[in-house]
Amino acid sequence: MKKIFTTTLIALTIAGFAQAQQRGQGQNPQRQAGAPAPTAPVVKEDAPRAAPASGSSRTINPESSVVTNHSVTIKGKTIPYKATTGTLPVWDEEGKPIAGLFYTYYERSDIQNRDSRPLVISFNGGPGSASVWMHIAYTGPVVLNIDDEGYPIQPYGYKDNSSSILDIADIVYIDPVNTGYSRTTNKDVPGSKFFGVRADIRYLAEWINTFVTRNNRWASPKFLIGESYGTTRVSGLALELQSNQWMYLNGVILVSPTELGIERGTVMDAALRLPYFAATAWYHKMLPADLQGKKLQAMLPEVEKFTVDELIPAITKGGFLPMDEKKKIAAKMARYSGISEKVILQNNLDVSTNLFWKELLRDKGYTVGRLDSRYRGIDKADAGDGPDYNAELTSWLHSFTPAINMYLRNELNYKTDLKYNMFGPVNPWDNTGNRTGENLRAAMAQNPYLHLLVQSGYYDGACDYFNAKYNMWQMDPSGKLKDRMTWEGYESGHMMYLRKPDLAMGNDHIREFIQKALPKPGVPAKF
């Protein structure tokens, strides 16, 4: 895991570009045992010196950057790369900086011409979540020090990611306002500039334009990847970039997608959960022997068929469904979900996810996780209709928070007294006008080059896999886009990449998707 570091700090003020200061390189004790320490930094003699970008202040400097050089072994090949951490401004209508967005940008450094080199632009969700999750656990050059199923272990830290997509694409990870180190320039900037579906998409599109221009990436094939609420964000950005920044994409990757503003209604909300219930019950061995004896992917099609063919029509009839039919439906739901027919009937065939997380293992004294139902929690009382806490999120924060703080400061050499917000204050969030699924459909219809990859964990109860499939069905009612749409499922949860086999598989799927979405030389964008 050889790392060669050259650090240069460029701290820029908006009023007049400030001079830069060389920063020393810290040691890296959290690396795997036996890894060589990085070499001493090489100071550029022509680098101007000035006050640090952040220093002892907890205010944002809207323009700053630190450059370090590294290498990582991916699929047996050494990949040299440059990492740039820093901030770029968000401007208001008068061209004044109102915020600084923190980003981490990885470029493979042995590339002579970047015109054909893909650029992946990465967001996480929340809203109000930093980009940390996919950055140091999925696609980036380092991954968390966790066990093979994703649980925390000590000592905290990170290691090289041999599955990273950096071999075939450059990547930039972006923290929206109030997440990570991103902040407004002063407390008087109204939150309405940033905190809402449409505002978020609008200012981030402008920022991406700035980033692409500053880094001379207009010629590069471009891909957006978003996780959770980040899928809402990138689905909207696909059309916003195309319509108002005149920036055309080759692909959008949705990791654990939300409903993307696609209307469900009470019937669909109630019915579409069942396949997720079945997957979770299978994992915890709560299904009948004939179902439990099958592999997960062999069992789920039966549940999906029942959901579409029988459950949706039954719930549609509501109280006018004859009682004998209602009991037959409840019996099948109990068979597939692992919870009792009595509980299902008490809830009129509409079992909430909250109740399911509490009910499935109630008799065993456990709850199951919301974002990843493989995780078990312990409540104060077994009674009740929902868990006391999210077992999986608590576990993830346990391992992610120390690692990102150590990595940014010690390895990427970005020094600041700002707190890295894993989750930041973004409320009230304006959800009106969310038509991002339709935005993505329109962008694909208008751009023949644009492809879609959807990745879902079977045990994700917040953004479940069957709802992700439903999104694709509703986005493409004509069936004319489906050849450019791909769905992949994984035997893990919301962050499927925390499970070691899915880390490799998920990145391979992204790698294959990017390569497939690149047109052959001379092939025009036309239908």
Side-chain angles (χ1 to χ4, degrees), residues 177-330:
V177 170
N178 278 1
T179 73
Y181 292 138
S182 299
R183 301 289 191 276
T184 57
T185 53
N186 66 75
K187 62 182 178 59
D188 297 323
V189 178
S192 59
K193 293 278 188 183
F194 316 104
F195 305 145
V197 176
R198 289 180 293 183
D200 179 76
I201 290 167
R202 192 178 306 115
Y203 90 84
L204 288 172
E206 290 281 351
W207 190 94
I208 290 170
N209 187 312
T210 300
F211 176 86
V212 167
T213 301
R214 292 270 189 102
N215 289 279
N216 195 26
R217 298 307 298 262
W218 275 97
S220 300
K222 299 171 192 67
F223 295 80
L224 297 178
I225 181 171
E227 179 181 41
S228 195
Y229 184 83
T231 63
T232 301
R233 176 175 288 136
V234 300
S235 295
L237 277 169
L239 186 62
E240 179 70 15
L241 287 169
Q242 192 167 296
S243 299
N244 294 315
Q245 304 299 327
W246 310 287
M247 185 183 296
Y248 289 77
L249 304 171
N250 286 73
V252 172
I253 303 160
L254 306 182
V255 180
S256 305
T258 65
E259 294 179 351
L260 305 181
I262 298 171
E263 186 63 37
R264 261 68 172 169
T266 56
V267 172
M268 289 300 175
D269 274 343
L272 295 177
R273 305 177 191 128
L274 185 63
Y276 154 71
F277 289 171
T280 299
W282 181 90
Y283 177 82
H284 290 287
K285 297 181 169 54
M286 298 297 289
L287 294 182
D290 63 318
L291 295 176
Q292 201 66 58
K294 296 181 179 180
K295 290 185 176 181
L296 178 65
Q297 292 89 341
M299 180 271 294
L300 286 174
E302 178 181 332
V303 186
E304 294 176 8
K305 187 176 188 306
F306 166 76
T307 299
V308 172
D309 294 348
E310 298 182 53
L311 183 56
I312 291 173
I315 297 177
T316 299
K317 295 176 183 177
F320 287 82
L321 181 70
M323 183 53 66
D324 61 335
E325 292 184 33
K326 189 173 186 178
K327 287 183 177 180
K328 288 179 182 178
I329 293 292

Side-chain angles (χ1 to χ4, degrees), residues 147-178:
D147 82 351
D148 287 354
E149 292 297 316
Y151 290 89
I153 56 176
Q154 290 182 328
Y156 300 117
Y158 48 88
K159 55 193 175 186
D160 280 0
N161 182 6
S162 61
S163 298
S164 172
I165 61 170
L166 190 55
D167 58 334
I168 60 113
D170 295 337
I171 319 165
V172 58
Y173 299 90
I174 303 165
D175 292 337
V177 170
N178 278 1

Side-chain angles (χ1 to χ4, degrees), residues 83-111:
T84 304
T85 51
T87 51
L88 279 179
V90 177
W91 289 288
D92 66 10
E93 294 80 1
E94 298 176 354
K96 296 179 180 178
I98 56 175
L101 292 199
F102 181 75
Y103 68 94
T104 306
Y105 176 36
Y106 298 104
E107 302 169 86
R108 182 167 172 170
S109 51
D110 59 353
I111 302 297

Side-chain angles (χ1 to χ4, degrees), residues 112-132:
Q112 299 301 316
N113 185 346
R114 294 194 185 276
D115 287 358
S116 59
R117 171 83 171 163
L119 173 66
V120 174
I121 302 165
S122 182
F123 293 98
N124 273 93
S129 173
S131 64
V132 54

Side-chain angles (χ1 to χ4, degrees), residues 460-526:
D460 181 1
C463 300
D464 70 82
Y465 88 91
F466 200 55
N467 266 285
K469 288 186 175 182
Y470 183 82
N471 280 346
M472 296 170 71
W473 300 341
Q474 301 308 306
M475 277 175 55
D476 184 28
S478 70
K480 295 176 182 176
L481 304 178
K482 63 184 179 182
D483 290 344
R484 287 186 279 145
M485 294 181 169
T486 304
W487 180 89
E488 300 287 355
Y490 307 88
E491 290 192 39
S492 44
H494 196 71
M495 298 187 201
M496 73 287 296
Y497 43 82
L498 295 184
R499 181 173 174 263
K500 188 175 180 179
D502 293 324
L503 170 65
M505 188 187 308
N507 274 308
D508 280 345
H509 287 151
I510 293 174
R511 190 177 281 103
E512 292 163 6
F513 171 74
I514 289 174
Q515 292 169 336
K516 179 182 176 182
L518 297 177
K520 294 179 181 179
V523 175
K526 67 178 183 180

Side-chain angles (χ1 to χ4, degrees), residues 325-368:
E325 292 184 33
K326 189 173 186 178
K327 287 183 177 180
K328 288 179 182 178
I329 293 292
K332 281 193 175 183
M333 289 181 69
R335 168 176 161 78
Y336 293 137
S337 67
I339 60 177
S340 72
E341 182 179 341
K342 179 180 178 181
V343 168
I344 292 169
L345 287 171
Q346 286 173 340
N347 286 273
N348 298 316
L349 310 182
D350 184 0
V351 177
S352 70
T353 47
N354 211 44
L355 176 58
F356 176 78
W357 299 324
K358 182 77 174 185
E359 182 68 25
L360 182 66
L361 301 180
R362 190 191 298 269
D363 292 345
K364 298 180 183 296
Y366 296 107
T367 61
V368 299

